[in-house]
Amino acid sequence: MKVKNKVIVVTGGGNGVGRELVLSLIERGAKVAAIDMNETSLLETEKLIASGKKENISLHVLNITDKSAVEKLPKQVVARFGSIDGLINNAGIIQPFIRVSELDYSIIERVFNVNFFGTLYMTKAFLPFLTKQAETHLVNVSSMGGFFPFPGQSIYGAAKAAVKLLTEGLQSELANTKVKVTIVFPGAIGTNIMANSGLKNPVTPEANSGNSMLKSLPPKEAARIIIDAVESNKSRVFVGKDSKMLDLMYRINPKLAVSFIAKKMKSHLE
């Protein structure tokens, strides 16, 4: 699906990859409904848009874990732009870098609520509108931590693995419809996901990638890869060399790959 003249909803649009998705989509001629729970961040994103294109964005301050608020959102977007052609579920948070046995249930629930249930609520709310259009696209952002275990990020990985299976299930369920579905597996990306998750200095799949095996990808480049995947209707896309490498390692020898990462991350759990 070419994004020009399409109306696309982006969660997490106030910063990081989400902000770059918003900016890049508008640059390519799309209209964007930017979603974020931080109004200040959304306004900062809006300021970066060229003055002649500001009419192509609408800002929606919303917590995606609020199911009632999410269910009202599609009609708000339609009221603003007239239709909905795409949804990119990008918003996500990480967990502190500690063992499951040390995690409070409040943190576990928050990580799952944002990463999985937020994605699920948005998907269910928007699918009835996406199926009405001649050509639409759904993108769910998982993580390389969603297919590969990182010690100290087990809950985060489990939530992103749930996003992976949900999205692959949707690919099968929507195979005979006009809705194309893409699952995204980002590797290390230079964003402020740690601060946005309320954490000071954790080590995560996205923030560290196995003790800095490869350089983090700039958010703008990550956004380009994701949008290109939409325009070429790819079913799955790995964002970053580290994500691609770990996928290959895991497929060839799962036990060796898991042992390799466990050794790399061991010092952070001691």
Side-chain angles (χ1 to χ4, degrees):
M1 180 187 82
K2 298 301 180 183
V3 301
K4 186 176 181 178
N5 298 322
K6 300 294 186 180
V7 177
I8 301 176
V9 179
V10 179
T11 65
N15 55 75
V17 176
R19 172 177 288 175
E20 295 299 337
L21 283 168
V22 171
L23 298 177
S24 297
L25 285 166
I26 290 178
E27 186 63 29
R28 294 197 194 194
K31 297 177 181 178
V32 180
I35 317 300
D36 204 288
M37 64 184 300
N38 188 318
E39 183 177 14
T40 300
S41 296
L42 278 178
L43 291 172
E44 290 173 352
T45 296
E46 185 182 38
K47 288 179 182 178
L48 297 173
I49 298 172
S51 58
K53 296 183 178 181
K54 289 189 185 293
E55 70 276 7
N56 291 335
I57 186 173
S58 64
L59 306 181
H60 305 266
V61 181
L62 178 134
N63 184 339
I64 61 172
T65 68
D66 184 340
K67 183 171 59 163
S68 178
V70 168
E71 289 174 343
K72 298 173 183 177
L73 185 59
K75 289 184 178 180
Q76 296 172 9
V77 177
V78 171
R80 175 69 170 80
F81 292 120
S83 63
I84 301 169
D85 304 294
L87 167 62
I88 302 179
N89 282 311
N90 163 78
I93 61 171
I94 55 178
Q95 68 168 84
F97 192 78
I98 56 178
R99 295 176 173 86
V100 173
S101 60
E102 300 169 354
L103 271 177
D104 291 339
Y105 277 111
S106 60
I107 296 176
I108 292 172
E109 290 168 0
R110 181 169 180 258
V111 169
F112 254 90
N113 283 340
V114 173
N115 292 308
F116 177 70
F117 284 106
T119 296
L120 177 62
Y121 295 161
M122 289 290 296
T123 299
K124 280 183 64 63
F126 280 88
L127 267 180
F129 293 82
L130 293 177
T131 55
K132 292 179 181 179
Q133 298 298 102
E135 180 186 33
T136 57
H137 209 110
L138 168 66
V139 179
N140 286 341
V141 178
S142 178
S143 165
M144 65 180 178
F147 67 79
F148 195 101
F150 284 79
Q153 283 294 307
S154 298
I155 296 300
Y156 171 76
K160 286 299 190 177
V163 171
K164 172 185 180 292
L165 265 294
L166 169 66
T167 308
E168 291 171 343
L170 287 168
Q171 288 174 337
S172 296
E173 293 179 5
L174 297 169
N176 295 321
T177 73
K178 297 175 181 179
V179 183
K180 302 297 183 182
V181 182
T182 298
I183 178 71
V184 179
F185 301 102
I189 300 175
T191 70
N192 56 348
I193 188 172
M194 293 183 289
N196 293 333
S197 301
L199 305 176
K200 292 183 179 180
N201 190 33
V203 180
T204 69
E206 278 76 2
N208 189 272
S209 185
N211 211 16
S212 301
M213 290 183 295
L214 294 169
K215 185 178 179 181
S216 296
L217 200 68
K220 187 172 183 178
E221 177 64 9
R224 181 195 66 77
I225 292 171
I226 293 171
I227 297 172
D228 284 350
V230 170
E231 295 206 316
S232 58
N233 287 325
K234 288 186 177 180
S235 61
R236 50 198 283 132
V237 56
F238 295 90
V239 180
K241 294 180 180 179
D242 49 356
S243 184
K244 294 177 183 177
M245 181 183 72
L246 288 179
D247 176 64
L248 179 61
M249 289 174 61
Y250 194 62
R251 289 173 184 273
I252 294 174
N253 193 326
K255 184 176 180 180
L256 180 62
V258 171
S259 177
F260 170 74
I261 291 298
K263 290 178 180 178
K264 287 283 187 180
M265 310 294 276
K266 184 179 178 181
S267 62
H268 298 287
L269 283 174
E270 294 178 343

